[in-house]
Amino acid sequence: MILKNGIDQVALINKFTEASAKQGESIRKTVHEATLKALQGRELTLANIRQVLGSVTKAASAGAAGSSLPAPDVENLLGKVFAGMDGALEQAVLANQRALQQLVDQGVSLRETQLKKALADIEKMEDALFATVRKAATAAGAAAGAPLEGPWAGVFKAAQGKGTDTGAQATATVERLMEDAQKSMRDGRAMGLRASQALIDSYSTLVSGVLIGMSEALKQGGAAKR
């Protein structure tokens, strides 16, 4: 098994190529889990997120190019691929929110350079999703000799029309954190410089840990239901 940015591309290609029109939800879950797992294995920087999304998109596009399904069904399945990545990225945004919330609650200022960048990156998540998937899809289609601009264009149009879960979560996250940070300042909560910097330096590790914890909680919840 060869992993590309934490993604088993061959498995994804085969699953998509062999998928029937009725297996859309299965595709979405597979993509969601694969994307989330890959994100857990690295720092949640925009660069790493783009690499993971690009690898998933290229695998799905290669599988779509080899599918015998008619174009409308391929578009529907690609829509599920996009939804799977969107759902995983929404979890990444939520992990950032929870990590930043912990810092804000302890009196760390969001004006710190590293945390200002973290907020800015959260705001860029939805744009990164669209731009990365579009670029990777175009490259994969050209490489396979079977351009998929039509099916993917339909997916992008539908997603931009209704918005993404990633975008909605990012907007809510930034608004909530800014409100809480202002309240923290009014209440006079402020952490010493040395302690504050120690927490800021560990931010990336904190986010990764939160994301893993969220995923474990979801798995345990699913097992309990079963």
Side-chain angles (χ1 to χ4, degrees), residues 37 69 72 74 100 158 193 204 215:
K37 184 176 180 181
L69 295 173
V74 170
L100 283 169
L193 180 61
S204 295
S215 299

Side-chain angles (χ1 to χ4, degrees), residues 35-42 44 208 211-212 215-216 219:
T35 305
L36 197 55
K37 184 176 180 181
L39 291 175
Q40 290 171 350
R42 64 201 63 225
L44 283 179
S208 299
L211 184 60
I212 292 172
S215 299
E216 289 301 318
K219 289 178 182 177

Side-chain angles (χ1 to χ4, degrees), residues 52-72:
V52 170
L53 295 177
S55 294
V56 173
T57 302
K58 288 176 182 177
S61 297
S67 173
S68 59
L69 295 173

Side-chain angles (χ1 to χ4, degrees), residues 59-142:
S61 297
S67 173
S68 59
L69 295 173
D73 290 336
V74 170
E75 180 179 323
N76 179 61
L77 291 181
L78 288 176
K80 296 298 184 180
V81 169
F82 189 87
M85 288 187 283
D86 181 26
L89 199 53
E90 180 191 10
Q91 293 290 98
V93 171
L94 189 55
N96 272 279
Q97 176 189 335
R98 292 184 179 178
L100 283 169
Q101 189 70 55
Q102 290 183 44
L103 301 187
V104 169
D105 289 346
Q106 295 181 66
V108 179
S109 173
L110 289 178
R111 294 179 180 177
E112 297 285 352
T113 301
Q114 209 166 330
L115 300 191
K116 284 174 66 176
K117 182 181 184 304
L119 277 179
D121 286 350
I122 289 173
E123 292 180 313
K124 296 174 184 175
M125 290 284 197
E126 185 179 53
D127 288 341
L129 174 62
F130 278 111
T132 303
V133 173
R134 185 177 284 110
K135 180 179 179 180
T138 299

